[in-house]
Amino acid sequence: MSNITSQDIKKEFFKSKMGIAGIIILTILISTSVITIITIPVETFQEWNNPGSWITYPKAATPVWVNLFLMEKIPEHKILTEPKINDFSNNEINLSSYQFNFNFEYDQFPNDFIYSYSTKYEDSPLLEMTVMRPDGMKLKLISVALPYSSTSTIHDDKIFSTDSMLKKELVMQNNKFDFNIDKLSSEEIVFSKTETNEPLKGNYVFVIETYEIDKKSEIIESNLIIGGKAFGIMGTDELRRDLAIGLLWGTPLALFIGLVVSVASVIMGLIYGVYSGFKGKKTDEALMRFNDVIYALPALPFLIILSVTISNSIFVMIGFLMIFGWVGIAKVSRSMSLQIKTRGYVEAASMMGQKDSKMIFKHILPQLLPYAFASVAISVPAAITTEAGLSFLGLGDPSFPTWGQILHDANTFGAAARGLWWWIVPPGVMIAITGLAFVFIGNALDSIINPKLKK
């Protein structure tokens, strides 16, 4: 091992297909982490467990690309935020019109539709909502006077398709259809053909108008949500959270946990083992017996007990993982240290009166660096899977969207039994791919350091 230079390791490593595959996967994961941190607002990370932040998203929606493989297209969830605005006035009556154009091209009815608005007004303006269908039919949805206010006020509200007034208004227009619409939901009436109760495809225009006399109101925020069954690249969970955001934020978190735990554990184990082997005699005996005690402790039960009794903070968990991660490395580095310290240049340095610390850090530890790099790579998957396992058991830090935490939520809401595969498979695949990258790199380094492993 001591005759291998860094150039030799580099040359041999890039001859290994396994090592190159590991580097490619790791590069993709690091690039994904950087892009996530730069492009996705940190608020999405902070608001991951705030249900109010995801209220406009659909519940347990499948990824939109699933439509490419379905004969019967399911409706996508749409959030329309930029209406076309028109204002009219005849010096007495003021009319403001907000129009949302929406192309409906699916084979199933949407789940619902919601109009969310915030308006600033005085007095009591009249708000009307209508929809122009692709067949030219105009359906009146609701007409309501906003709460009276003698002074300028801001009013926030939502109009749901499940509103009884809206349904009653639609039923009153029963004569426009060739079949009975009494028992249909509002969205089924609005998006239905006139001949049969089947989805009518084409361009819909939702129009919201406010009427006032001698006053002029202002709609500050105006959004129309067409509730669908498909949303985003990775779908949503039961709490309406966009799983693509959770998976992307999980990448830098997994790399952070894995690398911090493995690097710290390897450094602790190397220094501990090398010092023990170098000092020898009673010091070695005492340090190794303490190492044996830690080594004999069942790590997972202790991690569970420590998470429950002390804290489930992710930073505390990283500390717990370090405590149990260094003992194996200390044993191996001790045996290497015992061999290296018998070499001539180390004995010569000792006879010249060099300090123990200088001999350890200058003559022994550098010889163990190839083993250290391989150990770091091999230790990362263990740290990531242990954190994921604890999170899956409900012992992780719920404030961080780690892959293990996503799997825990999926298990809590019975995703497997309900067939919500997009909530289970992607985080599992991400854990496996990340672990595989470091296993490839570690095995490639290990085969260089230990030539006996070569075929």
Side-chain angles (χ1 to χ4, degrees), residues 266-284:
V266 168
I267 291 173
M268 290 166 60
L270 275 181
I271 294 175
Y272 190 94
V274 168
Y275 182 76
S276 175
F278 180 80
K279 294 298 288 185
K281 300 180 181 177
K282 292 183 178 179
T283 303
D284 181 35

Side-chain angles (χ1 to χ4, degrees), residues 27-267:
T27 302
I28 293 172
L29 291 171
I30 292 173
S31 302
T32 303
S33 300
V34 172
I35 292 170
T36 299
I37 294 169
I38 293 174
T39 60
I40 298 181
V42 72
E43 289 77 13
T44 57
F45 175 93
Q46 297 167 338
E47 297 295 322
W48 180 251
N49 288 313
N50 181 9
S53 299
W54 308 95
I55 193 69
T56 58
Y57 287 49
K59 185 184 290 187
T62 188
V64 293
W65 50 264
V66 171
N67 262 336
L68 297 174
F69 306 98
L70 297 176
M71 294 295 291
E72 189 176 272
K73 306 302 180 187
I74 57 177
E76 295 179 14
H77 189 82
K78 300 286 185 182
I79 303 174
L80 309 175
T81 58
E82 296 182 356
K84 181 181 178 183
I85 304 172
N86 292 307
D87 293 318
F88 305 95
S89 177
N90 63 0
N91 296 325
E92 182 178 0
I93 297 176
N94 294 316
L95 167 64
S96 296
S97 172
Y98 295 76
Q99 296 185 7
F100 294 91
N101 286 287
F102 169 64
N103 188 31
F104 185 78
E105 53 186 10
Y106 308 103
D107 298 304
Q108 296 181 13
F109 291 106
N111 284 346
D112 55 23
F113 58 85
I114 304 169
Y115 176 62
S116 172
Y117 66 97
S118 175
T119 180
K120 183 178 181 181
Y121 67 90
E122 185 178 342
D123 207 350
S124 180
L126 179 68
L127 185 147
E128 283 192 357
M129 185 173 180
T130 57
V131 57
M132 291 293 297
R133 294 162 30 111
D135 56 5
M137 181 192 294
K138 181 178 181 180
L139 288 175
K140 185 177 180 181
L141 299 178
I142 197 167
S143 179
V144 59
L146 299 183
Y148 176 79
S149 175
S150 59
T151 58
S152 179
T153 186
I154 294 178
H155 178 68
D156 299 321
D157 204 353
K158 290 182 175 64
I159 298 174
F160 295 90
S161 59
T162 53
D163 192 310
S164 58
M165 290 178 60
L166 193 149
K167 174 67 182 296
K168 185 177 179 181
E169 192 73 56
L170 284 170
V171 171
M172 291 172 63
Q173 302 169 75
N174 188 45
N175 61 334
K176 296 181 179 178
F177 295 86
D178 297 338
F179 56 95
N180 191 357
I181 62 173
D182 288 354
K183 295 183 179 180
L184 299 179
S185 64
S186 298
E187 57 273 9
E188 287 180 315
I189 299 172
V190 170
F191 289 90
S192 176
K193 295 178 180 176
T194 54
E195 305 84 13
T196 59
N197 183 28
E198 295 177 359
L200 175 66
K201 299 180 182 179
N203 190 55
Y204 289 78
V205 181
F206 284 80
V207 183
I208 296 91
E209 295 174 322
T210 58
Y211 297 89
E212 299 164 279
I213 298 175
D214 297 331
K215 302 287 182 184
K216 183 71 178 69
S217 66
E218 176 187 3
I219 292 187
I220 302 169
E221 185 177 354
S222 179
N223 300 320
L224 180 66
I225 301 166
I226 308 295
K229 299 170 184 175
F231 181 80
I233 298 174
M234 301 309 299
T236 62
D237 61 15
E238 186 68 11
L239 302 176
R240 302 173 187 268
R241 296 177 297 197
D242 187 348
L243 287 172
I245 291 175
L247 291 170
L248 287 172
W249 276 118
T251 307
L253 285 171
L255 293 179
F256 172 75
I257 293 168
L259 289 172
V260 168
V261 171
S262 61
V263 169
S265 300
V266 168
I267 291 173

Side-chain angles (χ1 to χ4, degrees), residues 262-448:
S262 61
V263 169
S265 300
V266 168
I267 291 173
M268 290 166 60
L270 275 181
I271 294 175
Y272 190 94
V274 168
Y275 182 76
S276 175
F278 180 80
K279 294 298 288 185
K281 300 180 181 177
K282 292 183 178 179
T283 303
D284 181 35
E285 185 68 18
L287 290 176
M288 282 300 103
R289 295 296 76 77
F290 178 73
N291 181 282
D292 290 340
V293 170
I294 302 295
Y295 198 76
L297 294 175
L300 185 58
F302 262 86
L303 286 170
I304 293 173
I305 293 169
L306 292 172
S307 297
V308 172
T309 56
I310 298 178
S311 171
N312 65 348
S313 163
I314 198 167
F315 299 105
V316 176
M317 187 183 296
I318 288 172
F320 293 158
L321 292 172
M322 290 178 189
I323 292 172
F324 293 99
W326 62 273
V327 286
I329 296 162
K331 278 186 172 294
V332 177
S333 59
R334 172 187 172 269
S335 64
M336 290 180 172
S337 173
L338 288 172
Q339 296 175 21
I340 296 172
K341 80 173 187 179
T342 60
R343 291 176 182 170
Y345 62 90
V346 180
E347 291 180 347
S350 178
M351 292 175 66
M352 291 171 65
Q354 281 192 354
K355 293 181 179 179
D356 291 350
S357 59
K358 189 173 182 180
M359 285 192 287
I360 288 173
F361 286 100
K362 185 176 181 181
H363 299 300
I364 299 179
L365 278 177
Q367 305 297 320
L368 272 63
L369 286 181
Y371 165 71
F373 289 131
S375 298
V376 167
I378 292 172
S379 301
V380 170
I384 293 173
T385 53
T386 303
E387 185 281 330
L390 290 172
S391 296
F392 181 76
L393 294 173
L395 303 172
D397 191 339
S399 57
F400 288 83
T402 64
W403 296 328
Q405 198 62 44
I406 293 173
L407 286 173
H408 165 70
D409 294 338
N411 183 54
T412 301
F413 288 97
R418 297 164 59 193
L420 307 181
W421 56 267
W422 58 90
W423 197 355
I424 305 167
V425 175
V429 169
M430 291 301 291
I431 291 172
I433 289 176
T434 307
L436 202 62
F438 287 99
V439 168
F440 281 170
I441 295 171
N443 286 342
L445 286 172
D446 207 23
S447 64
I448 297 169

